Amino acid sequence: MITVSKDKTFALTNKYFSYVFRVSPEGILEHLHYGGPLRDPLNVAVHHLRTQREVASNFQGGPYFSLSDTPQEFPSFGTSDYRFPALHGRNSDGNTVFSLHYKKYQIVKEKPRLKKLPSARGGDSETLIVTLEDPLHKLEVELYYTVYEHYGVLVRSAKFKNKGNKELQLQHAYSSALDLPPHEYEILHLHGTWSREFCEERIDVPKGRFIVDSARGTSSAAHSPFIAIVQKGTTEEYGRVHATTLMYSGNFSLSVEKGEFEDVRLLAGINPFNFHWRLKPGKKFCTPEALHVYADKGLRSMSHIWHEFVREKVSPERFRHKPRPTYLNTWEAAYFDVDEEKVLHLADKAKEIGVDMLVLDDGWFEGRRDDTSSLGDWTADKERFPSGIPALAAKVKAKGLKFGIWFEPEMVNPKSQLFEDHPDWILHVPGRKPSLGRNQLTLDLSRPEVIDYLYAQIDDILSCGDIDYVKWDMNRNMTEVGSAGQSKNRQREVSHRYMLGLYDLLRRLTKKYPDVLFENCASGGNRFDLGMLSYMAQNWTSDMCDPIGRLDIINGCSYLFPLDVTAAYIGPSPNHQNGRVSSIKTRFNAGAFCAARGISLNEEDIDEHKSELQSLIMFAKDTSEDFVGGRFDRLIKSKNEVCWQYTSRDEQTVYLAYFHILAAPNLPFRRARMVGLEANADYMLVEDGATYAGDALMQNGMPLPYVATGQVNEKVRYMTKGDFSSHLFVFKKDNN
Ligand code: DGJ
C-alpha cells in the first residue's frame, strides 16, 4: 500500500485511490496526485513546471520556484506562499515565519492511536509518518497518513513537537492540507440550525476563501464538519469527488481557497480563529484526525465509502452490526411532566405495542420541573421519583423492557446545588456576566475536578446495572469561553482543552460501561460528528420529527453518515416544531431506514393508533437486523419527491421508500431506477407477490405509486390521497 522511491517520492495506493507526494529538490513536501489508483504511482509527472512567473517571489533564492504555485503537503506562511497556511504561529524570535523541510520517514503497520483524541481504528492498514523540521526554531512536525487495504478513506493528522529550549506558539495547527490542481469545481457542504440540520448547499468554488467552521464550542448544526469538492456537474452517479471530515467535536475549520493560479487548497483542522496554543520546550501537540475520501462515481460512491468506514472503523465496535432496540422516549409524550407512576404507565403502554425499551428523557432529577433549574444535580427528584432511578429501572426491566435515561452532564443551571457549591466551575471570564443559553451555563470541562465530579455522578446511577442506554444531551453553544483553571496566557486553549476533558470523560464511562448504548444528542444534531460518534453508537439527528421536515435532514446526513448510527421516532401530530399534520405511516416511513426506531407519543395517541403502532413496531423489530450494516442509496431528491433505497447486509431484502410531499392533479408517472441489485436475480414484492427482474428494476425502474386526486382505478397502485403521502416497498430476493 505504501511505496517509497529512492529519491523520496511517497505513494499510498489501494483499490480506491493513489495519494502521491515527493520531497522536492528544495526539501519541501510537494503534493503530486490524489485521485484514482495508479498502476505506477511513483511515476507521476511533476506538474509544477518551475517557470518564472511575473511578480512571484522565489522561495529562499531558488530560481523559478515559488511556493505560491507549488502544491504542498503542509504549507506554512512567510516564505513565498501567500495562501492560508496549515502551520502558522509565533516562534521564539517573535515573528511568524516557519519553514518546514523534510527530515525523515517511517512506515508502521499498526495505526498509532491519538492518546487524548478519538481516532479511527487501524487494521489492514499502513501508516506513513513523515517528519518535517524547522531547524531554526527547532519545531518538528510529524505528518501521519494511514491507508487501508479495504477502505477508501485516507486518515491524516499532524503532531507538533517543540525540540528547542524556548516556547513556541501555535495558531494554525491544521490536521491536513490538500492542494488540488486547477479545475472547475463545486463545493457541497451541509449547513443548518436547530431542527433544520444537514441542509445541503452547492456552490461553485469561488475565487478567494470559503470556510465552513465553528466557533461555538461544538461542531454545530450551523455547519457540519464536512465538505466535498466535486467536479462541476457531479450527480449521485457521475463525477469526481474529494470529500473531507474531521474526527473532532469542537471548533473546527474547513477552508477552501482558490488561489491566484486557480489551484484549490483545502485545510482541515481546529479552527485557528480564537485558538492559540503555547508549546513549551519538550512538549507535543496532536491535531485531530482529518479523513479524506476520493470517489470517482459521484456522490453515491462517496457515501458508500464513508458509510462503510464510519461503521467499521469509527463507531464503537461493540455495537457494530448490532440491531438497535425499538423505544418509547418520554420527551414529546410528557416533556418535564414525568413521575414514577407516569413512567411505569408509559412502560405498560410501550409493552402493549411491542416496544423494547423505555427511555426516561429530561425532567427526572432533583427540582427539574422545567428548563430553568437543576442541571448539575444528578440525583432523582425525591417527590416524583421517591424510590430513585435504580429502583425505577428495575421495575421497568421487570416488565420485560430495557431502560434508558437522559443526562445533560456538561451543563449547570444557576439554580442548582452544584452551581451554589462551585460557581467557578463554569466557563467564564473575569468581570463579565456569563450569557445564558436555555437558562444554563456550560461547565468547565477543561478542569479535571469537573470531569471527576461528572464521572462520579453518572457512575453512581449507571452502577445499578439496570441501565441499558444513555441519551447524552448538550443544549447550548458556548460563550465567555475562559477558565479559572488556566493561567491568563492559556485562555485561548480552553475550547480545545474542554474537548480533551469531554473525550476523557466519555472514554472513562464507555470503558466502564461497554454494554450501555450511548446516544449522542445536542439539541438534536448540534454536535453530530465523528468525534462523538467514536464513543457513541447512536445519534439523535434532529428534534424535527415532522416527517417532511426530517426528509431533508436524513438526506443531508446520509452524505457522510450511515443510517446505522441514527435514531428516529414517531412523534405527535400536529408536529410540535412546525405544526404539520401527517399520518402515522409517513411519520414512520421517514425514519424507517434509521437503525433505531421508536415513538414519543402520549397515552391517548398510543391508544388511538394502537393497532397501527403495533404493526409498525413489529415491522421495526422484524427488520432490525437489516438496518445495521446494509447499503443506503439516495435515488430521487427533488422539491416534491424523495426516494431512498436500503439493501440489507445479506442483500436478501431491498427496501424502497417513496415520499410525495404536495399532492397535485395529473402528475407524471414516476419510476425509481434501483441500484446495486443482482441483474440476473428476481425480486419479489412482498405486498402483492409480484416478481421483478433485477436488471429491469435497475434499468427500467420500479413504477412508483400514483398520487390519487380524482377517481381511482383498482389496478393502479396509489399513494394515500392528499399531501405528505409515502409508500414503503419491501422486496425479497428470489434465490431459486
Ligand atoms: C434536546 C433534545 O434534542 C430533545 O430530544 C430532548 O432530549 C430535550 N433536549 C430535553 O431537554
Side-chain angles (χ1 to χ4, degrees), residues 251-266:
N251 297 336
F252 74 93
S253 161
L254 292 166
S255 154
V256 180
E257 180 168 3
K258 192 173 190 174
E260 61 184 318
F261 305 118
E262 308 226 340
D263 32 23
V264 170
R265 171 169 294 170
L266 171 72

Side-chain angles (χ1 to χ4, degrees), residues 4 164 255 486 507:
V4 185
S255 154
Q486 299 294 334
R507 191 178 299 120

Side-chain angles (χ1 to χ4, degrees), residues 593-619:
F593 297 170
C594 300
R597 292 162 291 183
I599 67 168
S600 189
L601 295 173
N602 62 26
E603 183 180 353
E604 294 77 64
D605 283 342
I606 295 175
D607 285 342
E608 190 186 332
H609 301 283
K610 190 176 278 169
S611 62
E612 198 177 359
L613 288 171
Q614 271 166 340
S615 65
L616 289 173
I617 295 295
M618 192 186 294
F619 175 82

Side-chain angles (χ1 to χ4, degrees), residues 232-283:
K232 199 172 174 68
T234 290
T235 63
E236 283 290 347
E237 57 225 344
Y238 157 85
R240 296 196 181 103
V241 179
H242 286 94
T244 299
T245 189
L246 279 161
M247 204 177 286
Y248 192 55
S249 316
N251 297 336
F252 74 93
S253 161
L254 292 166
S255 154
V256 180
E257 180 168 3
K258 192 173 190 174
E260 61 184 318
F261 305 118
E262 308 226 340
D263 32 23
V264 170
R265 171 169 294 170
L266 171 72
L267 297 174
I270 293 174
N271 194 350
F273 169 72
N274 211 24
F275 172 80
H276 198 95
W277 196 270
R278 304 185 93 90
L279 200 59
K280 291 270 181 216
K283 291 285 179 195

Side-chain angles (χ1 to χ4, degrees), residues 366-419:
E366 193 59 61
R368 181 79 164 175
R369 298 229 160 21
D370 52 33
D371 64 13
T372 60
S373 81
S374 308
L375 290 172
D377 303 340
W378 298 108
T379 47
D381 187 80
K382 285 181 215 60
E383 249 174 57
R384 288 173 300 140
F385 293 92
S387 25
I389 295 302
L392 173 66
K395 285 182 199 165
V396 170
K397 296 202 84 166
K399 292 179 190 288
L401 292 165
K402 289 174 183 279
F403 181 76
I405 193 161
W406 178 97
F407 286 96
E408 192 177 356
E410 297 157 75
M411 296 291 152
V412 63
N413 285 111
K415 214 166 120 196
S416 66
Q417 193 56 50
L418 179 65
F419 188 68

Side-chain angles (χ1 to χ4, degrees), residues 321 565-566 708 728:
H321 302 161
V565 304
T566 64
L728 184 60

